[in-house]
Amino acid sequence: MSIFSGISFLSFALCIVVADFVYHSDRKRNSNKLFALFSIILAAAAFSEFMCRQTNDAAAAAWWHRVGSLWYFVVPLLLHFMLLFTGAVKTPVGKFTSILLYAPALFFSVV
């Protein structure tokens, strides 16, 4: 294992620990749920990069690179979390706003 793949694996483990800690500190708050989901998406991206660096096969590396396309959901999740955490939105966002936030990320992750 190279130092670069080790850093990716360390990032994966740290994101999982942070997500677990934040979620279990208060399970009922929506901001905690969103931040935990944000950390899990970052962990998935870090793990896919770790596996992409570990593999010796080009096809397997391409597959792990496609798995890492969850990265596109980081920006809308962070924006949603910031709106909820700062109090700009008191309740969870509506269906139209959710579609407006997450549809571009879904489009880019599928394409």
Side-chain angles (χ1 to χ4, degrees):
M1 175 169 43
S2 72
I3 186 73
F4 300 113
S5 60
I7 290 171
S8 295
F9 188 77
L10 183 65
S11 175
F12 158 73
L14 186 64
C15 285
I16 291 294
V17 168
V18 167
D20 185 53
F21 177 76
V22 168
Y23 179 72
H24 289 299
S25 66
D26 188 3
R27 295 179 185 183
K28 294 182 181 178
R29 289 184 61 188
N30 287 331
S31 59
N32 285 18
K33 292 176 186 178
L34 272 175
F35 189 79
L37 184 61
F38 172 74
S39 295
I40 288 170
I41 295 293
L42 286 178
F47 187 74
S48 70
E49 184 170 337
F50 165 73
M51 290 303 293
C52 190
R53 290 178 189 266
Q54 286 295 99
T55 188
N56 293 328
D57 184 22
W63 187 82
W64 280 110
H65 188 66
R66 282 193 303 270
V67 169
S69 68
L70 291 174
W71 178 257
Y72 293 115
F73 286 96
V74 167
V75 174
L77 275 171
L78 184 62
L79 178 63
H80 191 173
F81 168 73
M82 287 190 303
L83 288 174
L84 202 62
F85 186 73
T86 59
V89 194
K90 296 295 182 197
T91 60
V93 295
K95 287 183 182 181
F96 178 73
T97 309
S98 295
I99 290 172
L100 195 62
L101 270 175
Y102 295 108
L106 182 65
F107 173 76
F108 285 118
S109 66
V110 169
V111 173

